[in-house]
Amino acid sequence: MIAEAVRFALSGISANKMRSVLTTLGIVIGISAVITLLAVGAGTSDMIKAQIGRLGTNVLTVNRAVATGGRTTGGSATAARTQSTFLTVADQKALDDPVLAPDIATTAPVLQAQSVTATLGSSTHSIASTLGTAPSYFGITAFSAAAGRVLDDGDAGQRAVVLGNSVAADLAQDVSTLVGQTVSLNGQDFTVVGVLAAKGTSGLNDPDDVAMVPIDTAQGTFTGYTQSLSSIAVQARSADVMTQAQNEIEQILDARHRVTPDNRDYQVRNQAQVLSTATSTTQTLTILLSAVAGISLLVGGIGVMNIMLVTVTERTREIGIRKAIGATRGNIVLQFLIESLIISVLGGIVGILIGFGASAFQVFGIQPEVQWWTVWLSVAVSAGIGLVFGIYPANKAAKLRPIDALRYE
């Protein structure tokens, strides 16, 4: 009986090829959109994890807080006041105390210079981030040299520079030839001791558009002699003690700066928290976009039901003849349910193929990653649509009385 029902269903579909194709179009669009959007979401999540991993593991960054003012009303403060002091080299060295901060592996001072341009011959490059720092910074942030070396203790006070890959690529076709050459940074001559390995862009910024010099050299050349820092890079001993390391940082700096949690003059950014927040945001956006794509599936299902109702009306006499010669209500229901199911599953299969094809191309620099569970889910959803939206037309056909069906013109 099932084989006969399938034969009748295929016969009905092939009799109206264009209508059947248009009916499946809603299912095709919905399934392909869901697969593509979920693939983009997975690819975005992987890209974020990779970018944060390339910027260093177990990393916390201490930044100076933006000063905010508070006003008083009737002698009571309506807003906490954040002080406007600076992070200093002494603060950074205090965080290296193994007694007060046992969960901190190492730290590095960071001093950022603004508007620095590198020049070599006729080639120039405006550097996005010029940092004065210590050798420990390279280990914390997972920077490594592709040519030459990174900064070491012997470079202290010297005009030595390590160039990021993007900077080096703008100054020379072969970045390895830059090692040992003299480049000009805002008119000051620096010797290139190394070129960093490329980390790749994150879509929002380029971590390779950087130059690094010894911190005391940066103070003397770009920012003036001062003990203030732009930030402090901190590496925890492991990913499991990130929270403990952050607490130790806050306890030490609270005591040194004489502040409380309500008016801290600094902020601690936890790399793990950044990753968690970014991943959560990506997942939320993916769910919302998939919900929008799911609406097209609902519309496609309604289209299937509409066409099946038309099919039942067109084949009323056929239904009457089949019931007159012995077909049961179950036989009629099965015939139209299978027809609805075939239309939906075919649309689902085509949608899956289109989704795979669309996911092969990058979207705004993101490589979509199709997850196999979405494929099986799509097959199940398309089959479910065929069954759910085919039940009403099938029942309507099965309820027709043979005598009324045979009289239908």
Side-chain angles (χ1 to χ4, degrees):
M1 295 300 296
I2 294 179
E4 182 179 303
V6 170
R7 182 172 60 83
F8 272 104
L10 292 174
S11 168
I13 293 172
S14 61
N16 297 279
K17 294 183 179 65
M18 182 55 68
R19 186 171 70 186
S20 299
V21 169
L22 294 176
T23 303
T24 62
L25 193 57
I27 307 295
V28 170
I29 294 173
I31 293 293
S32 60
V34 167
I35 288 180
T36 303
L37 290 174
L38 289 175
V40 170
T44 302
S45 179
D46 289 344
M47 184 196 74
I48 291 172
K49 292 178 181 177
Q51 288 295 334
I52 292 179
R54 284 196 288 269
L55 294 176
T57 57
N58 310 336
V59 176
L60 302 101
T61 304
V62 185
N63 294 296
R64 179 192 177 202
V66 177
T68 58
R71 58 180 180 176
T72 59
T73 303
S76 62
T78 59
R81 180 177 180 81
T82 299
Q83 299 182 23
S84 182
T85 55
F86 291 89
L87 295 171
T88 65
V89 174
D91 290 333
Q92 176 256 321
K93 291 180 177 178
L95 298 180
D96 279 326
D97 190 327
V99 177
L100 296 178
D103 295 305
I104 293 177
T106 185
T107 67
V110 180
L111 180 62
Q112 183 161 4
Q114 304 295 327
S115 304
V116 176
T117 300
T119 305
L120 178 63
S122 60
S123 301
T124 61
H125 180 91
S126 181
I127 305 172
S129 181
T130 304
L131 305 179
T133 188
S136 56
Y137 182 78
F138 296 90
I140 294 173
T141 55
F143 274 108
S144 60
R149 60 176 176 81
V150 297
L151 297 176
D152 58 30
D153 293 333
D155 295 317
Q158 303 298 314
R159 289 193 175 183
V161 62
V162 177
L163 299 177
N165 207 270
S166 296
V167 180
D170 262 6
L171 297 179
Q173 291 184 345
D174 184 357
V175 298
S176 62
T177 62
L178 287 172
V179 178
Q181 291 197 48
T182 299
V183 298
S184 173
L185 301 181
N186 281 4
Q188 303 291 325
D189 288 341
F190 280 76
T191 300
V192 179
V193 298
V195 176
L196 298 173
K199 287 194 172 187
T201 61
S202 63
L204 299 176
N205 54 55
D206 183 2
D208 297 321
D209 194 355
V210 65
M212 301 181 190
V213 302
I215 186 167
D216 46 359
T217 303
Q219 291 169 335
T221 307
F222 302 121
T223 63
Y225 288 100
T226 175
Q227 290 296 303
S228 64
L229 301 175
S230 302
S231 63
I232 301 172
V234 180
Q235 186 175 45
R237 294 195 179 276
S238 72
D240 297 330
V241 296
M242 291 284 281
T243 301
Q244 294 92 313
Q246 180 170 344
N247 291 336
E248 291 162 7
I249 292 171
E250 292 170 347
Q251 289 173 4
I252 293 171
L253 294 183
D254 283 354
R256 289 185 56 82
H257 291 205
R258 298 179 182 179
V259 296
T260 68
D262 294 327
N263 66 341
R264 282 178 176 144
D265 55 356
Y266 65 91
Q267 298 170 332
V268 181
R269 186 180 65 183
N270 188 322
Q271 204 83 313
Q273 292 174 348
V274 173
L275 175 60
S276 176
T277 302
T279 302
S280 176
T281 302
T282 301
Q283 290 175 344
T284 301
L285 290 175
T286 301
I287 291 172
L288 290 175
L289 291 173
S290 298
V292 173
I295 293 175
S296 67
L297 275 176
L298 177 63
V299 173
I302 294 173
V304 171
M305 182 171 67
N306 182 47
I307 293 303
M308 292 308 299
L309 287 171
V310 172
T311 301
V312 168
T313 301
E314 289 179 344
R315 296 162 66 181
T316 300
R317 286 183 60 81
E318 174 194 325
I319 294 168
I321 293 172
R322 292 196 66 202
K323 296 190 76 172
I325 61 176
T328 65
R329 179 174 177 176
N331 297 145
I332 304 299
V333 169
L334 184 63
Q335 173 187 342
F336 286 95
L337 268 184
I338 288 179
E339 185 170 335
S340 174
L341 187 63
I342 289 174
I343 290 174
S344 298
V345 171
L346 285 176
I349 292 173
V350 175
I352 290 170
L353 295 175
I354 293 176
F356 265 97
S359 300
F361 301 95
Q362 287 192 352
V363 180
F364 300 110
I366 299 169
Q367 181 58 57
E369 181 183 340
V370 177
Q371 298 173 303
W372 281 103
W373 66 267
T374 63
V375 176
W376 301 117
L377 177 64
S378 298
V379 173
V381 168
S382 59
I385 287 174
L387 291 174
V388 171
F389 288 94
I391 286 176
Y392 177 71
N395 275 328
K396 181 180 179 182
K399 288 178 181 179
L400 289 172
R401 295 174 56 196
I403 187 66
D404 294 332
L406 288 171
R407 287 175 177 170
Y408 182 82
E409 290 294 337

